[in-house]
Amino acid sequence: MAVEGLRPVPGGDVCRAYQVRLADGRTVFGKTRPAAPAEFFAVEAAGLRRLAAAGGVPVPEVLGADDDVLVLEWVEPGPPTAPAAERLGRELAATHAAQAASYGADRDGWIGPLPLDNSPTVGWAEFYAARRVEPFLRRAVQDGAVGAEDARDVERALDRIAVLAGPPEPPATVHGDLWSGNVLWGADGRARLVDPAAHGGHRETDLAMLALFGAPLLDRVLAAYAEAAPLAPGWRGRVPLHQLHPLLVHAVLFGPAYGARAGAAARAALRG
């Protein structure tokens, strides 16, 4: 792909992102990361293809990936609208309906710059505790980002996770890092998913992540989702449990303020 021009665009804290004008007249999206780990972009490309294959929320087409760069279809951004939010809810339900073979994935990945262990497990509670919460809790405690009392409360929630997790559900195809910044609202009135940490997981995790930092028109998204695929009773009380992992990730990356929020989420989860 011969490049004629680059324009920096917002692209998160980990990578540098560009609108790229190619010599053949096409406009594409490119992202790079200095000294990226091996397969960093290959894993992201595989996650996008996995979400695309689920047939729910669309993702930008992967045009190329190697150790240095990921190249995607350019999607012209637009404002979030009520119809687009409702469509996102219905299509996210369809993404989740694509069942996974197990909780986890066939290769490890990343959430932001941090590695993720995706080794499969039989049940979601075991996967979430061992692969998501415990590793980041240990690191956050070591770094001083989670205090002793908050750490104890997170551990108490993990001790009861089999009960707190709610009714068993089959492993769903999930985005895995679905905060509002990873929803790309298109000028064509349709949302796309980007920057996935895709794996077989619990569908409530994606919805809880959308709520964590405030997604536009979230009530419309959730209502449309519930119409298409009703959630198990008590799901609202389980939101803090599903938010433990991203809060601990943020504690590792950004410090004690998020560690305190993780402790508060653990106590909320214990209250149900």
Side-chain angles (χ1 to χ4, degrees), residues 169-238:
E169 291 204 354
T173 296
V174 298
H175 178 283
D177 188 15
L178 194 55
W179 72 291
S180 60
N182 286 341
V183 177
L184 173 58
W185 302 93
D188 60 358
R190 194 176 189 189
R192 275 81 166 174
L193 302 185
V194 296
D195 295 346
H199 64 281
H202 198 303
R203 60 197 182 116
E204 290 177 13
T205 300
D206 275 350
L207 300 177
M209 188 67 173
L210 275 177
L212 183 57
F213 301 116
L217 301 167
L218 181 60
D219 288 347
R220 296 285 189 111
V221 175
L222 294 177
Y225 185 102
E227 287 182 5
L231 295 161
W235 70 270
R236 291 187 184 275
R238 293 187 292 273

Side-chain angles (χ1 to χ4, degrees), residues 60-188:
E61 181 185 357
V62 177
L63 302 177
D66 60 24
D67 288 343
D68 300 313
V69 65
L70 175 68
V71 181
L72 305 176
E73 166 197 10
W74 176 260
V75 177
E76 190 65 29
T81 65
E86 292 166 0
R87 184 170 185 173
L88 172 61
R90 293 190 296 271
E91 291 182 333
L92 186 58
T95 297
H96 292 164
Q99 292 187 11
S102 63
Y103 296 100
D106 59 2
R107 63 203 298 186
D108 293 339
W110 286 268
I111 186 163
L114 302 177
L116 277 176
D117 181 355
N118 284 328
S119 302
T121 66
V122 174
W124 178 79
E126 177 189 354
F127 175 81
Y128 190 63
R131 308 287 189 255
R132 292 296 183 261
V133 178
E134 289 173 351
F136 293 92
L137 176 62
R138 287 195 300 269
R139 179 163 172 179
V141 169
Q142 291 168 0
D143 293 347
V146 173
E149 181 179 349
D150 289 325
R152 282 194 298 269
D153 287 335
V154 173
E155 290 167 351
R156 286 174 57 218
L158 294 183
D159 288 342
R160 295 191 57 206
I161 192 169
V163 174
L164 298 178
E169 291 204 354
T173 296
V174 298
H175 178 283
D177 188 15
L178 194 55
W179 72 291
S180 60
N182 286 341
V183 177
L184 173 58
W185 302 93
D188 60 358

